[in-house]
């Protein structure tokens, strides 16, 4: 039972919720988009659309996150009626959330869902979508605002954007009026050259300000809070630099394997799948300088400055800065699981890494000499994404005559998922006559101050797309800088003579190859994930 003690302190209400005191200065409700619009989901019958996007749209609808006037158009290759498509979405929602999620508001939401069949054999496959949009805008007396979400494999992005252009759906100065926006998921290309080519293909029809490149990690509540934590609190920013911080660890661990994505993963591997986007974006949020004002372009400018400051990777000394691994057979969340090489559609002699730790440096005034250890892997001990900032040891051990052990440094941990929280670890005296230290933790859990469900990442990014807010989205310059940093690593890893020896196997259900701890120990540090989760 939550205890809620309301009182007045300097004109601000203070509320204690689950032992966390929150000063209430106002509400923080959803900012509802006011502009009527059409939301076109391309690849509408696929797994991403059914299990993520339509669920996110339905939750936004129930929570007041969609404009008063909107409609949804599913566009895909299967020949379906709108009624059949609604039934498909209804069944997917029932599987995800049970019958109760459909009891309220479903009929009102379903009435706004329509479906258009795409025929790729025709000269203009999206002409039926254009005709439907035009008719509906006129019938409902709506401006022609439209959002295109490409829930399709990345290999289809360029062709689909070209087809949208042929149907005059991309430009904003056509007969529709209103705005036109396109949303694409990562990965943004396979390397620097393909990323640049993809951008050229898209920008033939859409301007940069019309393009929303999603990295859903940036939309996670705890990641967004990093900037507030740093720049809205005077006690943290003064120590957020090389003088006080020893190193930073950023980890994104999954318990799942490649599942049904064997073909994609063989082509990508963990470095392309996670590091070019998620991991470097998390690094940028931790390392960026304060923007002059909190608005999209200024925030993205500061993230890009971090990418420009990345020290070129020493490909001639890979062993000192990189650990690659691949999961062997072991234990998963539901029992024994096969090795990566035994997964469907994976080469039985594959050298594709499913785990990587990369040590990088940001060469600027704030961070010079501070290593950032970025780590991500599949089939690991727990599903967790966490950022750990380790501060330097105390400069003078004044307790050396009464304490036999060294004093552990302070840690600040930011849990991105699951169970979002921020934890500060510091030293305190143990109760008793003898002087003994023990590490204690001060925890802040998001769930303790929020009643109800938080917006998930997809709900947040869809809402921002409708609002036209680019803060959480990736600019093309940032994409190219990340590929420029990562490409030498990929080339060195994929062309080296000892590629097989450089790939360290680790048992599924563990924290990765032992080689990681060897690298950390050689640096005089330890990997917190393996000992503190």
């Amino acid at each position: 039972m939550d205890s809620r003690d309301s009182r007045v302190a300097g004109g601000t209400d203070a509320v204690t919720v689950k032992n966390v005191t929150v000063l209430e200065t106002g509400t923080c409700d959803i900012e509802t988009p006011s502009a009527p619009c059409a939301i076109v989901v391309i690849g509408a019958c696929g797994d991403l659309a059914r299990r993520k996007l339509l669920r996110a749209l339905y939750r936004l609808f129930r929570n007041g996150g969609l404009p008063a006037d909107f409609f949804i158009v599913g566009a895909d290759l299967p020949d379906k009626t709108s009624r059949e498509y609604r039934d498909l979405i209804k069944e997917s929602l029932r599987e995800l959330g049970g019958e109760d999620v459909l009891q309220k508001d479903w009929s009102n939401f379903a009435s706004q869902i329509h479906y258009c069949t795409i025929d790729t054999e025709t000269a203009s496959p999206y002409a039926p979508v254009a005709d439907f949009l035009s008719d509906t805008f006129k019938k409902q007396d709506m401006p022609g605002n439209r959002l295109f979400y490409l829930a399709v494999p990345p290999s289809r992005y360029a062709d689909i954007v070209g087809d949208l252009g042929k149907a005059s759906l991309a430009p904003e100065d056509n007969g529709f009026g209103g705005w036109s926006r396109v949303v694409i998921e990562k990965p943004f290309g396979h390397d620097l050259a393909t990323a640049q080519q993809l951008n050229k293909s898209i920008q033939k029809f859409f301007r940069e300000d019309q393009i929303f490149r999603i990295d859903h990690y940036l939309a996670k509540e705890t990641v967004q809070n990093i900037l507030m934590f740093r720049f809205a609190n005077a006690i943290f920013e003064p120590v957020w630099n090389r003088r006080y911080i020893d190193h930073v660890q950023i980890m994104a661990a999954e318990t799942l394997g490649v599942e049904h994505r064997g073909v994609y993963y063989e082509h990508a591997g963990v470095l392309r799948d996670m590091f070019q986007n998620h991991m470097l974006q998390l690094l940028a949020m931790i390392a960026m300088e304060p923007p002059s004002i909190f608005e999209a372009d200024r925030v993205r400018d500061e993230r890009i400055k971090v990418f420009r400051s990345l020290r070129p990777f020493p490909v001639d000394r890979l062993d000192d800065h990189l650990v690659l691994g691949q999961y062997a057979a072991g234990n998963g969340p539901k029992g024994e699981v096969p090795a990566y090489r035994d997964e469907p559609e994976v080469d039985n002699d594959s050298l594709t890494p499913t785990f990587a730790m990369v040590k990088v440096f940001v060469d600027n005034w704030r961070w010079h000499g501070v290593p950032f250890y970025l780590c991500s892997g599949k089939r690991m001990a727990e599903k967790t994404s966490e950022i750990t900032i380790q501060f330097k040891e105390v400069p003078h051990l004044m307790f050396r005559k009464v304490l036999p052990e060294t004093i552990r440094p302070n840690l600040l941990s930011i849990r991105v998922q699951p169970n979002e929280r921020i934890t500060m670890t510091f030293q305190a005296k143990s109760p008793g006559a003898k002087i003994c230290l023990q590490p204690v933790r001060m925890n802040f859990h998001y769930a303790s101050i929020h009643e109800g469900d938080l917006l998930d990442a997809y709900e947040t990014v869809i809402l921002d797309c409708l609002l036209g807010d680019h803060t959480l989205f990736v600019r093309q310059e940032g994409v190219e800088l990340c590929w420029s940093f990562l490409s030498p690593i990929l080339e060195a890893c994929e062309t080296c003579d000892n590629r097989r020896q450089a790939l360290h196997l680790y048992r599924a259900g563990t924290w990765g190859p032992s080689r990681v701890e060897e690298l950390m120990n050689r640096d005089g540090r330890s990997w917190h994930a393996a000992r503190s989760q």
Side-chain angles (χ1 to χ4, degrees), residues 27 60 76 100 162-163 189 194 237 274 304 320 328 331 333 373 377-378 385 401-402 407 422 439 490 496 502:
T27 60
L60 284 173
D76 211 337
D100 59 313
D163 289 336
T194 56
E237 184 58 20
M274 290 294 293
I304 283 174
D320 293 333
N331 295 316
Y373 298 91
K378 290 188 173 294
S385 296
K401 292 186 177 181
V402 292
I407 298 177
I422 298 176
L490 290 168
C496 66

Side-chain angles (χ1 to χ4, degrees), residues 1-8 12-28 445-452:
M1 180 74 68
D2 291 353
S3 63
R4 298 183 64 87
D5 256 342
S6 293
R7 59 192 181 277
V8 176
T12 303
D13 288 339
V15 178
T16 301
V17 184
K18 294 182 181 177
N19 299 320
V20 177
T21 299
V22 186
L23 299 179
E24 295 189 325
T25 57
T27 60
C28 192
H445 292 263
Y446 274 83
S448 66
I449 63 167
H450 182 82
E451 296 179 358

Side-chain angles (χ1 to χ4, degrees), residues 392-452:
K392 292 186 175 181
E393 295 181 355
V394 291
H396 175 61
L397 190 56
M398 58 181 285
F399 302 105
R400 60 186 178 275
K401 292 186 177 181
V402 292
L403 292 176
E405 72 279 358
T406 58
I407 298 177
R408 291 186 183 180
N410 302 127
L411 298 176
L412 177 66
S413 297
I414 301 171
R415 172 71 69 87
V416 175
Q417 65 174 3
N419 304 318
E420 294 87 348
R421 70 180 187 220
I422 298 176
T423 302
M424 185 74 195
T425 304
F426 57 94
Q427 299 298 323
K429 179 184 177 297
S430 298
K434 186 178 179 181
I435 297 179
C436 299
L437 285 180
Q438 67 177 19
V440 296
R441 291 181 175 178
M442 186 162 50
N443 289 312
F444 159 61
H445 292 263
Y446 274 83
S448 66
I449 63 167
H450 182 82
E451 296 179 358

Side-chain angles (χ1 to χ4, degrees), residues 212-421:
F212 289 74
R213 300 175 188 83
I214 280 184
D215 187 327
H216 65 269
Y217 260 56
L218 291 180
K220 293 183 181 298
E221 192 69 36
T222 319
V223 175
Q224 294 181 65
N225 195 52
I226 291 172
L227 299 188
M228 313 305 165
F229 182 81
R230 289 183 56 191
F231 303 133
N233 296 289
I235 62 174
F236 296 113
E237 184 58 20
V239 298
W240 209 265
N241 55 60
R242 59 187 170 83
R243 290 185 61 194
Y244 300 98
I245 292 177
D246 179 79
H247 72 279
V248 178
Q249 299 181 25
I250 303 176
M251 182 184 63
E254 299 180 71
T255 55
L256 295 177
V258 294
E259 304 303 300
H260 57 280
R261 300 198 308 158
V263 173
Y264 162 75
Y265 209 83
E266 278 287 88
H267 187 61
V270 67
L271 289 172
R272 288 186 176 89
D273 187 49
M274 290 294 293
F275 282 75
Q276 188 275 332
N277 37 75
H278 299 334
M279 304 307 291
L280 288 177
Q281 291 295 335
L282 290 178
L283 181 151
M285 295 292 278
I286 290 294
M288 64 184 278
E289 296 296 321
S292 58
I293 189 171
F294 188 71
E295 61 179 31
D297 283 343
R298 300 292 77 78
V299 172
R300 297 201 294 176
D301 285 346
E302 296 304 332
R303 292 206 301 261
I304 283 174
K305 288 178 184 177
V306 174
F307 301 142
R308 289 192 186 125
S309 300
L310 289 172
R311 181 185 299 178
F313 200 80
V315 293
D316 57 332
R317 293 181 287 117
L318 286 179
D319 287 348
D320 293 333
H321 295 78
L322 175 69
V323 177
L324 297 177
Q326 185 187 91
Y327 65 81
N331 295 316
K334 298 181 180 179
E336 294 184 3
V337 294
Y340 173 74
R341 293 171 183 174
D342 295 327
E343 297 278 16
E345 301 180 310
V346 171
D347 189 331
N348 58 15
D349 197 32
S350 174
L351 297 178
T352 300
T354 63
F355 172 98
M357 173 182 273
V358 183
K359 180 171 67 174
V360 303
F361 291 88
V362 178
D363 278 343
N364 60 19
W365 188 273
R366 181 187 292 264
W367 295 110
H368 181 72
V370 177
F372 289 75
Y373 298 91
L374 313 184
C375 173
S376 182
K378 290 188 173 294
R379 289 288 190 215
M380 297 185 71
E382 290 184 16
K383 176 180 174 62
T384 182
S385 296
E386 190 154 353
I387 302 164
T388 303
I389 294 100
Q390 177 169 314
F391 292 88
K392 292 186 175 181
E393 295 181 355
V394 291
H396 175 61
L397 190 56
M398 58 181 285
F399 302 105
R400 60 186 178 275
K401 292 186 177 181
V402 292
L403 292 176
E405 72 279 358
T406 58
I407 298 177
R408 291 186 183 180
N410 302 127
L411 298 176
L412 177 66
S413 297
I414 301 171
R415 172 71 69 87
V416 175
Q417 65 174 3
N419 304 318
E420 294 87 348
R421 70 180 187 220

Side-chain angles (χ1 to χ4, degrees), residues 88-132:
L88 176 68
I89 299 307
K90 184 176 182 179
E91 185 58 34
S92 295
L93 292 175
R94 183 182 288 115
E95 291 174 2
L96 291 169
E99 190 70 35
D100 59 313
V101 304
L102 303 176
Q103 296 302 318
K104 181 182 179 183
D105 300 323
W106 166 251
S107 59
N108 292 333
F109 179 71
S111 67
Q112 304 302 318
I113 300 176
H114 310 276
Y115 185 82
C116 286
T117 300
I118 302 302
D119 185 358
T120 55
E121 300 300 319
T122 64
S124 183
Y126 287 87
V129 175
D131 292 340
F132 181 84

